[in-house]
Amino acid sequence: MKTIFKIRKGERLFALISMMVFILFNGLLIYSKFDRFTIGAHGGFWTIFYNHLNMSGYDVFSCIAVSCLRIHYSTLRHPLYIVLLLPLYWLNSWLMEVTGFNFAVFFIAAINVFCATYASVFMLRILRELAGVSRRDAILLTAMLYGFAHVLIATMVPDHFGISMFLLVATIYIVGTKLKERKPMSPLLTGTLFFLSAGMTLSNGVKTGLALLFTNGRKAFSWRYVVAFVIPLLLFAGIIYWQQQAIILPQSQNIKKIEDSLKKKNPNFGDKFKAHDEWVKKQNGKAMTKDVPLLEWSDMTTPRLQSITENLFGESLQLHRDHLLEDVQQTRPVFVSYRWAISYVVEALIVLLFAAGIWYGRHSRLLHLVLSWFAFDMTMHIIFGFGLNEVYIMAAHWAFVIPIAAAFLFKNSGARFSRCARILTLLLTLWLWAYNGWLIADYLV
């Protein structure tokens, strides 16, 4: 595992091409509002980023944090995020003092490119070394993954999803190697993976727990592994408390003073926010309860079948041309239909490819592992309803299961059937990159 980040000789050209593609899309995003994003102001960063960097509702809070160290995201759900952003804020503050230029978008883009490049390399290794397909097939399936709309978008927006996907794919590669070698995960490795993945997105910690069960079985419940989870949780609690006291509490007090001052000048100051809150309430559906943390984010009323068709396997994989990249919390309806019937045909073919891969890989422990992760995500989003109205922005947390499943279709089906599957995958990949890539580039430029 010491050489996990070493790009091997046979991977260098693939990694270089992948990196150039991710640099291109991050560059397009920066170029789209370059004059706005690089203003070295001492305030107003919410307005700069929130009003001018709005793609499908992905958060811009990392750019705000790196610009002025304000935290607008949930520290409970992303406890370790500040550890990554704080050094960038220090460096950016010094650079703004010297140059008057805000480098926040460049720092976030560098993180995105690094994470996306290594995630693509890890996917290539998973498909070649663990699923056992050829190099050509592994490249094709990895290309299909990044052709999925909200996997590609996650590699460029200033949100946590690209980082989270990188950590999840790295975990699959590490744990899959352990499964292949029939070796257990050590408490140190378990604790490290849990600390990093859950620290970036708390729900990902469940996936580390599932990975431990697959490799260690009953031994996963021994006291050493319990400690491996408890120590990171205690560290999270300390980090969250520090953020609350050092950053969020003073920030809240300052915001309240500003709001009180604006209300004195304009008694109708809060009216537009009330209207927006009513829109959000309508869009979010009815929660199980508003009184219990986490349960307040549930959604019991948004239609599930339509969500699966138009959003989960729809918008996640292929963008809708109408209301393109709009935010469901702002102007986008929860459900948008495709203009062309071919979009539904493409969606059905991808689902069919996925289902066939599950059948042909039904004896694989690796596939069982990633399917357990997929089942957890579907329980959380489809049954529990967390983020259901914008479930597509979570695609980077689960979409990699589709090419992994398809790899077993390539490997285990007969020669004629696997050849048809490869041709179908190639056509789907070309369509996804042409369709999604063009829409994203056109939207930005």
Side-chain angles (χ1 to χ4, degrees):
M1 294 306 163
K2 292 180 181 179
T3 60
I4 187 172
F5 288 104
K6 182 179 179 180
I7 303 296
R8 301 163 190 168
K9 186 177 180 180
E11 300 168 341
R12 290 172 188 170
L13 180 60
F14 172 83
L16 178 62
I17 294 172
S18 297
M19 183 177 68
M20 295 305 294
V21 170
F22 300 135
I23 288 174
L24 171 63
F25 279 95
N26 277 270
L28 285 175
L29 186 143
I30 295 171
Y31 170 79
S32 67
K33 293 288 189 301
F34 181 83
D35 292 340
R36 291 285 181 178
F37 297 159
T38 56
I39 294 174
H42 294 286
F45 291 110
W46 172 274
T47 302
I48 290 170
F49 290 109
Y50 190 77
N51 289 352
H52 298 283
L53 183 46
N54 193 346
M55 294 180 67
S56 295
Y58 287 94
D59 291 334
V60 296
F61 301 149
S62 60
C63 282
I64 295 172
V66 174
S67 298
C68 60
L69 199 60
R70 282 195 173 186
I71 296 178
H72 295 285
Y73 59 86
S74 170
T75 56
L76 176 62
R77 286 161 53 192
H78 313 289
L80 206 58
Y81 206 9
I82 192 64
V83 176
L84 176 66
L85 300 178
L86 191 57
L88 299 179
Y89 162 72
W90 291 333
L91 178 58
N92 192 46
S93 295
W94 176 75
L95 288 171
M96 278 199 290
E97 287 281 338
V98 174
T99 66
F101 189 93
N102 188 359
F103 289 87
V105 285
F106 293 94
F107 290 142
I108 299 303
I111 293 172
N112 282 339
V113 170
F114 173 88
C115 289
T117 302
Y118 268 103
S120 67
V121 170
F122 292 151
M123 272 301 302
L124 189 73
R125 293 178 186 175
I126 289 166
L127 295 166
R128 291 191 68 194
E129 299 172 20
L130 305 181
V133 298
S134 68
R135 172 183 169 81
R136 183 181 299 175
D137 287 344
I139 292 173
L140 173 60
L141 290 168
T142 304
M144 181 177 71
L145 171 62
Y146 284 95
F148 293 156
H150 282 270
V151 173
L152 180 58
I153 293 170
T155 68
M156 55 195 294
V157 292
D159 208 328
H160 71 280
F161 290 103
I163 306 170
S164 189
M165 179 177 169
F166 157 71
L167 293 169
L168 289 173
V169 173
T171 299
I172 294 172
Y173 177 61
I174 292 168
V175 175
T177 302
K178 293 290 184 183
L179 286 171
K180 183 179 179 180
E181 297 173 350
R182 298 184 181 276
K183 293 180 179 179
M185 290 172 62
S186 67
L188 178 60
L189 177 60
T190 301
T192 301
L193 291 176
F194 178 76
F195 180 68
L196 294 174
S197 59
M200 192 53 57
T201 304
L202 193 62
S203 59
N204 286 344
V206 174
K207 297 179 180 179
T208 306
L210 290 169
L212 179 63
L213 284 173
F214 271 85
T215 55
N216 291 39
R218 294 179 182 177
K219 293 180 180 178
F221 298 99
S222 68
W223 68 268
R224 293 188 305 159
Y225 291 98
V226 172
V227 171
F229 285 92
V230 169
I231 291 176
L233 288 173
L234 292 175
L235 290 173
F236 292 159
I239 293 169
I240 291 170
Y241 178 78
W242 171 79
Q243 290 179 82
Q244 187 68 33
Q245 297 301 312
I247 302 174
I248 296 176
L249 189 58
Q251 170 185 311
S252 299
Q253 293 170 347
N254 187 45
I255 290 173
K256 189 176 185 305
K257 288 179 181 178
I258 295 171
E259 289 178 345
D260 290 343
S261 176
L262 290 171
K263 285 177 182 177
K264 288 179 181 179
K265 296 178 181 178
N266 179 12
N268 300 320
F269 167 71
D271 290 351
K272 65 177 182 179
F273 299 108
K274 290 178 182 178
H276 177 253
D277 290 343
E278 287 300 317
W279 166 266
V280 171
K281 184 179 179 181
K282 178 184 175 182
Q283 295 289 84
N284 285 353
K286 187 176 180 180
M288 191 180 300
T289 176
K290 291 288 186 181
D291 302 323
V292 180
L294 299 181
L295 292 182
E296 62 182 322
W297 294 322
S298 61
D299 180 347
M300 297 293 104
T301 56
T302 299
R304 266 45 179 181
L305 183 59
Q306 197 173 4
S307 294
I308 292 170
T309 303
E310 296 292 355
N311 290 337
L312 180 70
F313 288 116
E315 176 75 7
S316 295
L317 310 181
Q318 294 178 97
L319 295 171
H320 289 81
R321 293 172 65 86
D322 295 320
H323 298 280
L324 178 64
L325 296 175
E326 290 182 14
D327 183 358
V328 76
Q329 305 291 356
Q330 299 290 339
T331 57
R332 186 189 193 274
V334 174
F335 300 117
V336 180
S337 298
Y338 288 109
R339 294 182 185 179
W340 305 328
I342 191 175
S343 297
Y344 291 103
V345 173
V346 169
E347 179 181 343
L349 289 173
I350 293 172
V351 172
L352 183 63
L353 192 71
F354 181 29
I358 292 173
W359 173 255
Y360 280 100
R362 64 190 182 277
H363 300 302
S364 167
R365 294 280 288 168
L366 174 68
L367 186 58
H368 294 168
L369 169 62
V370 295
L371 286 176
S372 74
W373 287 14
F374 179 71
F376 168 70
D377 283 323
M378 296 306 101
T379 300
M380 186 169 60
H381 298 309
I382 303 302
I383 297 176
F384 177 70
F386 172 75
L388 182 60
N389 60 347
E390 53 180 1
V391 68
Y392 41 84
I393 72 171
M394 269 69 91
H397 284 165
W398 61 266
F400 45 75
V401 69
I402 297 176
I404 292 174
F408 292 98
L409 171 62
F410 286 12
K411 180 184 176 184
N412 296 335
S413 62
R416 181 179 297 177
F417 195 53
S418 63
R419 189 181 304 114
C420 291
R422 287 182 178 90
I423 294 171
L424 174 62
T425 303
L426 176 61
L427 293 174
L428 289 171
T429 301
L430 292 172
W431 165 265
L432 290 168
W433 273 100
Y435 179 81
N436 292 325
W438 181 83
L439 286 176
I440 293 168
D442 186 61
Y443 176 86
L444 293 173
V445 175

